[in-house]
Amino acid sequence: MKILGIETSCDETAAAVVEDGVKILSNQIASQVELHARYGGIVPEVASRQHLLAIIPIIDQAMAQAQATWRDLDGIAVTIGPGLAGSLLIGVNVAKAIALANRLPITGVNHLEGHIYANWLANRDINFAPRFPLVCLIVSGGHSDLVLMRGHGDYVVLGRTRDDAAGEAFDKAARILGLGYPGGPAIEQAASSGTIASIQLPRAWLKGTTDFSFSGVKTALLRLVEGGKVSSVADAAASFQEAVVDVLVTKTVAVAKECRVKQILLAGGVASNELLRQRLVKNSPLPVLIPEPVLCTDNAAMIAACGYFRFKAGKVDGLDLDVIPSLKLA
Ligand code: KG4
Ligand code: ZN
């Protein structure tokens, strides 16, 4: 079964063709990062206009790379939320037009669920396919969710951030330190030449809960910078990265043990962070699955993978499919 995935929830226009939910036949992404960089963040109106320009060429490229015609497709999967309304609308309307013109079934995908399903895009040893029940840590620009997954499409949200998401914290810390946008890769890059010894930053453990909080560590960093106590941006970046990763890994491992799951999955843009990847693998007594970095940040292959499992479960939507900007996982 070949599914065309379409993703336009934020600042990447993406299209991909995936076979049977696991095999990537094509994966095309047009990033808007440079367009938004000069504003230090995403400008929603600019994003939707750019999606409109990029969407048809990107779908054409994905189809060409997969050497597929519309007739080769078995369905269309498109992100319906969460995300920016104007951006989501571009993807959903193009998807509906293609579905209508080619009499293809369509399914609306939750972007966060898509991030989780990047872990099925194996192209690797089948023994490493996710096994239920599992705990997944989804860390992106808008979310830090700890999720128990008992089967396909079956989620229990165990914890989430009470303020900033992990990716948002990286972005804000980068701004405080005068590093570029997006902040995650900028912090990681700066941290690579720093050490954590000189700067102590707090961790919000929120003991007895499975929630996260990252606004305190961000404010602590801001106070140090304002007080002229940061002599090395690299050291500050390294300490910040360490503080965030420490909390994410410690709480995820504890929850996974408590839930007696078989595996831990990592997902979302922050999952491309090398320290987070290594630390989770090192500290977890359970097998850990993490998509390769390009499949952690926003892409359409993960949407097509999730769409495949939705179609298999009979979850087909009508052409009245609409965007849900504040869509929740469960
Ligand atoms: O999943 P994603 O691409 O988009 C959303 O759904 O939000 O995640 C983007 C977030 C941004 O906040 C970005 O700074 C962060 O992921 N990020 C990283 C890294 N790469 C991207 N954070 C830490 N380290 C990275 N290498
Ligand atoms: Zn995302």
Side-chain angles (χ1 to χ4, degrees):
M1 216 173 150
K2 287 179 186 161
I3 308 296
L4 170 67
I6 297 174
E7 155 65 41
T8 63
S9 69
C10 194
D11 61 344
E12 328 273 0
T13 317
V17 180
V18 171
E19 192 171 350
D20 296 338
V22 295
K23 189 173 175 207
I24 299 174
L25 301 183
S26 66
N27 191 21
Q28 295 287 330
I29 303 171
S31 173
Q32 303 180 5
V33 161
E34 279 174 33
L35 198 62
H36 299 287
R38 71 180 114 147
Y39 305 108
I42 296 159
V43 184
E45 183 62 22
V46 173
S48 39
R49 283 167 191 270
Q50 189 56 33
H51 283 306
L52 197 52
L53 294 174
I55 187 80
I56 301 293
I58 276 293
I59 292 172
D60 283 345
Q61 284 172 31
M63 293 293 286
Q65 190 192 0
Q67 297 184 315
T69 64
W70 301 123
R71 283 168 178 236
D72 297 323
L73 296 180
D74 298 287
I76 315 260
V78 61
T79 305
I80 56 166
L84 302 167
S87 293
L88 291 163
L89 272 167
I90 309 292
V92 168
N93 282 306
V94 167
K96 288 202 281 190
I98 295 172
L100 179 65
N102 299 286
R103 296 171 192 269
L104 286 165
I106 189 168
T107 191
V109 171
N110 181 317
H111 179 81
L112 299 171
E113 202 178 349
H115 272 302
I116 298 175
Y117 275 87
N119 281 286
W120 268 262
L121 290 169
N123 289 341
R124 57 189 161 196
D125 189 336
I126 197 72
N127 294 323
F128 288 95
R131 280 190 292 141
F132 303 117
L134 56 85
V135 157
C136 183
L137 173 67
I138 312 171
V139 270
S140 69
H143 293 82
S144 301
D145 291 351
L146 259 175
V147 179
L148 172 66
M149 193 175 177
R150 296 175 296 199
H152 288 292
D154 178 357
Y155 311 100
V156 181
V157 178
L158 303 171
R160 49 170 53 110
T161 183
R162 293 189 179 174
D163 37 60
D164 294 347
E168 185 182 2
F170 271 98
D171 293 336
K172 288 178 176 172
R175 205 173 303 164
I176 290 168
L177 294 172
L179 299 168
Y181 164 86
I187 293 269
E188 179 164 26
Q189 168 71 28
S192 65
S193 55
T195 62
I196 60 168
S198 65
I199 296 167
Q200 295 299 319
L201 289 171
R203 279 101 165 118
W205 292 111
L206 303 182
K207 285 232 162 58
T209 81
T210 30
D211 285 343
F212 298 107
S213 166
F214 295 110
S215 71
V217 62
K218 170 201 66 190
T219 306
L221 179 69
L222 180 63
R223 296 281 172 270
L224 288 178
V225 170
E226 286 176 342
K229 299 205 175 69
V230 170
S231 55
S232 159
V233 168
D235 288 358
S239 295
F240 182 83
Q241 180 176 249
E242 174 67 31
V244 172
V245 166
D246 189 10
V247 174
L248 288 175
V249 169
T250 305
K251 297 202 80 155
T252 301
V253 170
V255 165
K257 279 188 195 160
E258 209 172 293
C259 295
R260 298 169 184 276
V261 293
K262 292 194 175 124
Q263 287 178 335
I264 296 177
L265 265 53
L266 191 56
V270 182
S272 58
N273 183 279
E274 201 52 43
L275 183 72
L276 176 58
R277 300 167 75 92
Q278 286 176 11
R279 188 71 59 79
L280 186 58
V281 169
K282 186 168 153 236
N283 288 17
S284 170
L286 304 166
V288 174
L289 285 188
I290 312 173
E292 60 176 294
V294 300
L295 298 175
C296 290
T297 45
D298 288 350
N299 66 86
M302 67 186 198
I303 303 302
C306 181
Y308 167 80
F309 289 99
R310 287 181 62 83
F311 280 127
K312 265 199 19 175
K315 293 175 178 167
V316 179
D317 287 299
L319 287 176
D320 57 347
L321 182 66
D322 204 355
V323 304
I324 309 176
S326 58
L327 186 62
K328 298 264 184 301
L329 191 60

